[in-house]
Amino acid sequence: MAFDYDLFVIGGGSGGVRAGRVAAQGGAKVGLAEEFRMGGTCVIRGCVPKKLMVFASGHGPAIEAAKAYGWDHAGGKFNWTKFQPMLHKELERLEGIYRKNLAGAGADIFDARATLKDAHTVELSTGETFTAKHILVATGGRPFLPDTPGAAELGITSNEVFNLDAFPERILIVGGGYIACEFACIFNGLGAHTAQWYRGAQILRGFDDEVRGFLAEHISERGVDLHVGLEVERMERRDGRIWVKGTDGREDVFDQVLFATGRVPNSGGLGLEEAGVKLGRKGEIVVDDYSQSSVPSIYAVGDVTDRINLTPVAIREGAAFVETVFNGNPTKPDHENVASAVFTQPEYGTVGLSEEEARAQEPIDVYCAAFRPMQKSFIGVDERVLFKLIVSQATQKVLGCHIVADGAGEMIQLAAVAVKMGATKEDFDRTVAVHPTMSEEIVLMKTPTRRD
Ligand code: FAD
């Protein structure tokens, strides 16, 4: 049977664009539909705009530190009206690059919503239909909003936060995951009065327990009014602001309430189940190790499969899919020891197992150092950094590395190479320190803090 396309990709985000571009470069006839903006969550309303706001917010504390270091003229206030157009100009530039690269590789781009008609046919919101030998669903995820009274009408999510008309003087961040913590630190650093409420017992569920406590303490010390075990009971518009009642009876007023209460796969209304594609409990597309769904011609990559929901992982999954399907080289995306960073202030970089995960697996040695770095202690800032290695007692391999410090996102990328290569504690020990740095501690920890 002749098809219109060798590959039709639904979704122009991290995973979809990589797969579409590489397949087209290899000579496949590729079509891709994007219903919103090319680049997807990462470029338009995720990693990139968030990181630019992280950079902006870091200058608040840096100005204070500059004063303490002897600078006379440091000062000023964050100007949202100046920053926001610059932010959107940059996103437009990146969106253009994504579009250009994909079109340059020879793919056809359709600015339309796509749904499945059957295992080999997609229908666009323009009314056009196309057949394809393979269909790749790369539709990502979307924010989940709880059914708290007032949340849907008055709350915002990460989808809206980059488009606010005015900078909020007082903002409430609801949630305790990495996105919630990052936005709490961003707004706090930019000078907003920032509260963060999380219903669980501790922020950053799923990460190393010791780090969770350490970060919660430091986020609070930097000025975020953080409360755990607290939810929004209801919220109402009052005198132009948002009145919020908490489950412990407290009442407060904010200019914005940002719900970062989890994300769900974008799999609804796509015609997936009608085409026979099996979905999991959260609505994620169930795929095998090669990203193939229960329908042989339909594959899925990225957040819609809810494996590891990070941009570089979606990109690797997209590339592995092309290698498998178009290059005759069956390739499983590698989900082992994926490093990641939480861009809080201070940052958290992590690779490998948490102490709890490692202990459940085998006997371990834990090396841990928490100390005041030179840069802070010089100006009397009582803030510590944390370096932690989790080591297998049997093999002496480093199973996990955790760093909480300014710049930890950059540091962990390099440590991840060593961990991925299977470095042992001895390999770390025989690496000569770079002095004076904070990160030299990672090669200087001689005695285990704990052995279990
Ligand atoms: P997406 O990038 O979400 O792309 C999916 C695309 O499909 C979207 O453009 C959507 O409009 C389109 N689409 C959906 N349905 C249809 C349809 N029916 N027809 C046509 N188009 C459709 N990851 C990191 O690695 N580091 C970070 O620091 C980081 N920060 C983040 C911060 C925030 C606030 C958020 C929300 C996410 C962050 N992420 C981060 C996660 C990262 O953005 C995602 O893991 C990544 O974008 C997933 O890529 P994807 O290709 O699966 O989906």
Side-chain angles (χ1 to χ4, degrees):
M1 176 181 170
F3 296 100
D4 298 323
Y5 287 100
D6 299 316
L7 171 65
F8 200 97
V9 183
I10 308 182
S14 309
V17 169
R18 176 56 59 98
R21 184 166 63 76
V22 180
Q25 278 167 343
K29 189 162 191 285
V30 176
L32 181 146
E34 167 54 53
E35 67 174 345
F36 181 53
R37 289 176 66 181
M38 287 296 292
T41 304
C42 173
V43 176
I44 305 298
R45 43 197 184 187
C47 330
V48 174
K50 173 198 80 183
K51 192 70 193 283
L52 291 170
M53 284 184 74
V54 168
F55 289 140
S57 70
H59 290 291
I63 289 169
E64 290 308 310
K67 282 188 207 164
Y69 264 93
W71 287 81
D72 281 337
H73 297 292
K77 197 169 175 245
F78 176 66
N79 184 341
W80 176 247
T81 327
K82 185 171 175 194
F83 172 78
Q84 207 192 27
M86 286 163 57
L87 175 71
H88 288 293
K89 199 170 155 208
E90 177 64 2
L91 304 187
E92 273 164 34
R93 188 182 73 82
L94 295 173
E95 184 182 0
I97 291 175
Y98 267 73
R99 187 177 286 278
K100 191 166 147 238
N101 286 348
L102 188 60
D108 293 335
I109 301 173
F110 300 93
D111 293 302
R113 179 170 170 79
T115 49
L116 289 174
K117 268 191 95 175
D118 61 44
H120 288 284
T121 313
V122 290
E123 180 168 24
L124 303 190
S125 47
T126 54
E128 295 161 285
T129 59
F130 296 105
T131 58
K133 185 166 183 205
H134 302 285
I135 294 171
L136 180 69
V137 184
T139 48
R142 63 188 153 79
F144 168 81
L145 213 58
D147 57 5
T148 309
E153 306 78 42
L154 302 173
I156 58 166
T157 69
S158 59
N159 278 357
E160 291 79 39
V161 71
F162 304 110
N163 297 314
L164 293 178
D165 290 335
F167 185 73
E169 272 174 44
R170 295 176 62 82
I171 186 165
L172 170 63
I173 313 287
V174 186
Y178 83 93
I179 294 176
C181 295
E182 289 176 339
F183 278 115
C185 291
I186 286 170
F187 279 101
N188 180 56
L190 293 176
H193 171 89
T194 308
Q196 183 181 359
W197 295 3
Y198 174 51
R199 67 179 181 179
Q202 186 54 283
I203 56 168
L204 294 172
R205 189 160 61 89
F207 290 95
D208 184 274
D209 272 354
E210 185 176 21
V211 171
R212 295 167 70 195
F214 188 88
L215 260 178
E217 203 183 297
H218 279 71
I219 288 173
S220 301
E221 276 168 12
R222 284 220 186 175
V224 175
D225 186 19
L226 172 66
H227 296 273
V228 293
L230 180 60
E231 280 182 84
V232 176
E233 191 177 282
R234 65 195 171 93
M235 43 203 270
E236 288 169 15
R237 173 76 66 197
R238 287 191 186 174
D239 302 326
R241 301 182 99 181
I242 305 169
W243 170 86
V244 179
K245 181 156 190 224
T247 42
D248 64 353
R250 78 178 63 210
E251 298 177 29
D252 210 335
V253 174
F254 298 96
D255 300 304
Q256 294 291 346
V257 179
L258 189 158
F259 283 84
T261 38
R263 292 177 64 80
V264 288
N266 235 340
S267 58
L270 284 175
L272 287 164
E273 283 170 300
E274 296 80 344
V277 176
K278 196 171 158 221
L279 300 185
R281 204 170 46 86
K282 278 177 74 182
E284 73 278 15
I285 298 181
V286 178
V287 289
D288 67 10
D289 287 349
Y290 299 92
S291 302
Q292 190 174 34
S293 80
S294 52
V295 175
S297 59
I298 301 177
Y299 287 72
V301 294
D303 286 10
V304 75
T305 62
D306 197 29
R307 288 176 279 181
I308 299 178
N309 297 333
L310 293 170
T311 287
V313 177
I315 290 173
R316 289 287 175 104
E317 288 170 358
F321 153 77
V322 174
E323 205 50 31
T324 301
V325 173
F326 291 96
N327 297 345
N329 175 26
T331 303
K332 297 178 187 178
D334 183 354
H335 293 115
E336 280 277 307
N337 285 330
V338 173
S340 67
V342 179
F343 294 102
T344 39
Q345 289 166 3
E347 284 178 13
Y348 170 30
T350 169
V351 61
L353 302 180
S354 67
E355 184 176 338
E356 296 68 41
E357 286 167 335
R359 188 177 295 118
Q361 178 181 293
E362 61 184 285
I364 51 166
D365 291 341
V366 178
Y367 295 81
C368 195
F371 59 95
R372 282 208 301 167
M374 190 197 235
Q375 190 189 14
K376 305 275 166 146
S377 64
F378 180 69
I379 51 172
V381 174
D382 187 20
E383 192 178 282
R384 286 165 305 140
V385 293
L386 178 80
F387 289 84
K388 180 168 178 178
L389 288 179
I390 294 145
V391 178
S392 159
Q393 280 182 13
T395 64
Q396 285 300 297
K397 266 192 186 173
V398 175
L399 303 174
C401 176
H402 304 268
I403 303 174
V404 181
D406 288 343
E410 301 291 342
M411 294 181 211
I412 205 68
Q413 180 67 84
L414 304 179
V417 177
V419 173
K420 187 75 185 164
M421 288 174 76
T424 60
K425 180 66 173 58
E426 150 73 0
D427 293 322
F428 275 69
D429 291 346
R430 65 195 172 85
T431 305
V432 176
V434 178
H435 185 74
T437 63
M438 292 185 276
S439 55
E440 63 182 304
E441 199 58 31
I442 210 82
V443 297
L444 296 175
M445 292 187 285
K446 293 283 174 261
T447 323
T449 316
R450 294 183 281 284
R451 305 199 77 201
D452 307 87

